[in-house]
Amino acid sequence: MPPKTCTLCSKNRAMLKRPKTGQQICKDCFFLVFETEVHNTIMDAKLFNPGERVAIGASGGKDSTVLAYVMKTLNERYNYGLDLFLLSIDEGITGYRDDSLETVKRNQQQYSMPLKILSYDELYGWTMDAIVGQVGRKNNCTFCGVFRRQALDRGAAMLNVHHIVTGHNADDIAETVLMNIMRGDIARLGRCTSICTQGEDTIKRSKPFKYSYEKEIVMYAYFKKLDYFSTECIYSPDAYRGHARVFLKDLEAARPSVIIDIIHSGEAFEIRDEVKATQKAQQVCKRCGYMSSNDLCKACTLLEGLERGLANAGITDRARRNMNAEGAAPDDMRTIPFYKPPTDMAAIPITSNS
Amino acid sequence: MASSVSLKIEFGGGLELLFANQSSHKLTLPKFVPISNSTSLSSLSSSNLKDTDTESATSDDAAIPDGLKRVDVTYLLHHLRDHLLKERPELFMDKETVRPGILVLINDTDWELEGEGEYELKSGDELVFISTLHGG
C-alpha cells in the first residue's frame, strides 16, 4: 500500500485515521487539531476565567496525563491566565496507586506544576486495602467512589482551588449515557453530558476532553511520548461499566462516529421537570460539613459503618436502619475532619443543574 | 533472499501484562504461512522458523506455494496469541482481529492506514499494540 498524504497539509505522510471524521492526517496536523478542538470546547463552554486557580485531577493514567500536558500547552498558547495544580488522591491500594503516584510525581517535574496528594488514610483513617480487608470485594467500589469524590473536593479546598478539571473523555461519557439509559436513571441521564457540573458540592468540575476520543488521547500520548501508567485497579473493577465499554467498543469498530453520536443523543434529551425534581434538596452534613442530601453525608455513613464493623450500613437502607437501631455512634469514633470550603466560596450559590 | 521476516513488537497500555509483563519482543516469522493462519509448526512443512535463507522456492519472485500466503498482520496476531501470550487470550483477540479498543501501529503509523490485518510484513517492521481499555 503506498503511503498516504495528510488531507490537511497535503504535505506530510498521514500517520493516523481520525475516528471522528475518517480524515487521514500527519502527526503535526494531528497535534494541532487535537489541541485546537479542546481549546474550542473550552471557549464554547466558557469554562475558565482569567486568574482562576484550577486543579487537574491526576491519576497518572493516560487521560489525566494528556490533560495536564494539553492544559499547560493551551494555557501558554492562548494566555488563559490560569494557575494550574495537580491534585492526586492516594486510595491506598498497594501495587496500583503507589506506582501510579510515582508517575504523577514525575509529571510534576516534567510540567513544573505544584502537586498535592491527599490520601484516604489521612482523611478517613482507612486505606482501600484495609477497607477491602473488612468488606471484601463486593461493594468496595462504592466506598472508593464516594471517598474519592469527597477527597478531590477537600484536596481542592486545601489548595484554595474552586475548579477541578478531570480527564473524562468522549468514550467515558458515551458509556455513562448508555449506563444511565440501561438503568433507567433518567435524572442522571439528563445531566451526565454536561461539560461542567456544580451542585452536589460547591467546587466546579469540568471535562475539557468531553469530545475527545480515547483513541486520539492514546495516540497523542504515544506520539508525544508522554509518561503515563496503565494498570487495571487490582480490586474488582466496575463490572457494569465494563459491559457498557465492551459494547461501545464493538459499536465503534463498526461505525466510529457512534461515540460522538451517543453524546449528542444524550445532550438532546429533554428531561421533564418532575423527573429532575427527584434530586433531594442539598444541605450540609451535620457531622463533617460536606454537602449532603441527608443529615449525614454518604462518606460519613460509610465511615461509621466501617468503624462500627457494620460495613453494609452505608450500602443499603435496611442495614443503615439496623445500625441506627443499635444506638448512636460512639463519641470516640473516628470522623472526617470538618470541611472548610475554599475562601470566597460561601458567596457562590449552589445551583441545581448538576 | 531470506525466507523469513524479523519483526520488533511492542506492547503498551497494560497489554504487556498478558505477555509475561514484557513490553518488547523480537521475533522471526516465515515469509510464507498457511492461509488458514494455523501457527502449529507441523503446518509449515518446508519453511519453519529455523530456516534462514537459501530455498529458491521462497524467493520473492517465485509463485506462492499452495495453501500458503505472504505473512501478514493477521497471521502475526495468531502467532502472538498462540506462542507469546501467557493468559486471557480473549483480552487480546476477538474473532480474527485484535479486540476492539486495542490500537495497532505499523512503523508508527495507524494500522487503519496500512490495510490492517492484510498488511504484508517485511523484515525490520516495528509493530506497537496499545490497549486503551485501562482507566485514566
Side-chain angles (χ1 to χ4, degrees):
Chain A
M1 211 172 267
K4 298 189 171 71
T5 309
C6 173
T7 52
L8 293 178
C9 67
S10 314
K11 206 170 63 198
N12 300 329
R13 185 167 176 240
M15 296 186 75
L16 166 102
K17 186 172 172 189
R18 296 201 76 194
K20 221 186 284 189
T21 60
Q23 284 170 314
Q24 309 185 347
I25 57 176
C26 70
K27 216 190 265 190
D28 288 344
C29 288
F30 168 58
F31 292 149
L32 191 63
V33 291
F34 181 88
E35 291 156 2
T36 306
E37 282 184 4
V38 176
H39 171 65
N40 292 342
T41 303
I42 288 171
M43 298 315 282
D44 288 349
K46 301 187 177 65
L47 280 191
F48 304 119
N49 299 312
E52 205 175 348
R53 293 161 68 87
V54 175
I56 298 160
S59 67
K62 58 183 164 51
D63 300 304
S64 59
T65 300
V66 174
L67 181 64
Y69 181 89
V70 170
M71 284 299 300
K72 181 180 167 63
T73 303
L74 296 178
N75 192 32
E76 288 166 4
R77 182 180 302 159
Y78 296 104
N79 299 312
Y80 292 163
L82 304 178
D83 257 338
L84 295 173
F85 300 83
L86 294 169
L87 172 58
S88 291
I89 304 304
D90 181 358
E91 296 94 344
I93 303 175
T94 310
Y96 170 64
R97 189 52 90 212
D98 44 358
D99 291 345
S100 62
L101 285 173
E102 289 307 311
T103 312
V104 181
K105 287 177 193 162
R106 288 196 299 274
N107 291 160
Q108 171 192 16
Q109 304 297 322
Q110 290 153 351
Y111 307 155
S112 38
M113 278 182 211
L115 165 67
K116 164 82 189 162
I117 299 176
L118 180 60
S119 73
Y120 283 9
D121 196 16
E122 101 187 66
L123 189 54
Y124 306 111
W126 288 78
T127 63
M128 272 313 288
D129 288 341
I131 292 171
V132 172
Q134 175 160 338
V135 309
R137 294 191 176 207
K138 191 145 173 282
N139 290 312
N140 62 78
C141 294
T142 304
F143 285 85
C144 199
V146 170
F147 281 180
R148 186 179 316 99
R149 180 166 189 91
Q150 193 168 135
L152 272 171
D153 278 352
R154 286 169 177 272
M158 290 172 189
L159 289 169
N160 196 22
V161 155
H162 300 186
H163 191 167
I164 301 170
V165 289
T166 58
H168 292 98
N169 60 44
D171 297 53
D172 296 329
I173 294 169
E175 272 163 30
T176 307
V177 170
L178 290 177
M179 287 166 67
N180 285 332
I181 290 174
M182 293 188 286
R183 284 198 287 234
D185 194 338
I186 306 305
R188 278 208 178 79
L189 176 63
R191 57 182 192 259
C192 70
T193 52
S194 310
I195 188 164
C196 185
T197 58
Q198 188 169 35
E200 283 176 46
D201 41 61
T202 53
I203 290 175
K204 190 168 156 185
R205 300 264 179 128
S206 47
K207 307 173 185 126
F209 282 171
K210 179 185 172 187
Y211 296 115
S212 304
Y213 269 58
E214 188 156 70
K215 172 180 171 179
E216 295 200 347
I217 291 171
V218 173
M219 286 287 199
Y220 190 94
Y222 177 78
F223 286 143
K224 288 270 186 188
K225 302 196 175 6
L226 300 183
D227 182 5
Y228 73 91
F229 178 83
S230 50
T231 302
E232 203 66 75
C233 175
I234 56 172
Y235 297 126
S236 67
D238 185 344
Y240 200 69
R241 179 171 290 274
H243 292 308
R245 194 171 174 72
V246 169
F247 176 60
L248 187 68
K249 286 287 163 199
D250 285 344
L251 291 176
E252 187 190 8
R255 199 168 68 113
S257 69
V258 71
I259 289 169
I260 223 77
D261 296 340
I262 290 175
I263 296 176
H264 286 154
S265 301
E267 288 170 338
F269 279 115
E270 285 269 2
I271 310 299
R272 286 204 315 267
D273 285 343
E274 58 263 41
V275 175
K276 278 188 204 159
T278 54
Q279 213 190 344
K280 284 197 196 167
Q282 294 290 302
Q283 46 178 311
V284 166
C285 173
K286 294 205 160 86
R287 189 172 291 161
C288 79
Y290 187 74
M291 278 59 62
S292 173
S293 49
N294 293 301
D295 284 354
L296 281 193
C297 74
K298 190 87 177 155
C300 279
T301 311
L302 288 170
L303 182 60
E304 183 176 339
L306 285 172
E307 290 287 326
R308 296 174 69 179
L310 302 161
N312 274 333
I315 309 284
T316 67
D317 287 344
R318 215 180 83 190
R320 194 183 67 236
R321 283 195 299 272
N322 288 345
M323 179 169 79
N324 291 340
E326 283 192 16
D331 286 342
D332 58 350
M333 191 185 75
R334 179 158 37 200
T335 56
I336 308 171
F338 206 79
Y339 177 63
K340 292 187 226 44
T343 51
D344 308 331
M345 279 302 280
I348 298 174
I350 300 173
T351 52
S352 59
N353 64 344
S354 76
Chain B
M1 181 51 78
S3 65
S4 58
V5 294
S6 310
L7 306 169
K8 201 177 150 210
I9 312 290
E10 293 273 348
F11 296 109
L15 212 50
E16 65 280 5
L17 298 174
L18 304 180
F19 293 87
N21 211 3
Q22 190 187 332
S23 54
S24 189
H25 300 255
K26 285 198 165 129
L27 62 96
T28 304
L29 293 178
K31 192 164 212 163
F32 295 104
V33 296
I35 290 172
S36 68
N37 294 310
S38 163
T39 66
S40 62
L41 289 177
S42 59
S43 67
L44 293 171
S45 49
S46 63
S47 50
N48 69 42
L49 296 177
K50 288 182 185 90
D51 265 6
T52 43
D53 16 39
T54 65
E55 299 319 319
S56 60
T58 57
S59 84
D60 245 12
D61 302 306
I64 300 173
D66 270 358
L68 299 186
K69 61 174 178 176
R70 286 180 199 280
V71 62
D72 58 13
V73 172
T74 299
Y75 181 85
L76 170 68
L77 297 179
H78 284 81
H79 179 86
L80 293 173
R81 182 193 64 188
D82 296 347
H83 300 291
L84 260 72
L85 184 127
K86 301 293 182 217
E87 53 185 303
R88 293 180 290 173
E90 72 281 3
L91 295 186
F92 178 60
M93 271 183 88
D94 182 19
K95 302 191 185 82
E96 293 294 290
T97 186
V98 288
R99 182 179 183 220
I102 295 177
L103 303 183
V104 185
L105 294 111
I106 302 170
N107 301 321
D108 262 1
T109 297
D110 189 352
W111 79 327
E112 292 183 43
L113 300 180
E114 299 283 355
E116 304 191 13
E118 289 167 20
Y119 174 87
E120 288 178 0
L121 294 162
K122 54 189 194 312
S123 259
D125 278 348
E126 293 190 16
L127 286 96
V128 179
F129 298 84
I130 310 173
S131 171
T132 65
L133 296 175
H134 291 291

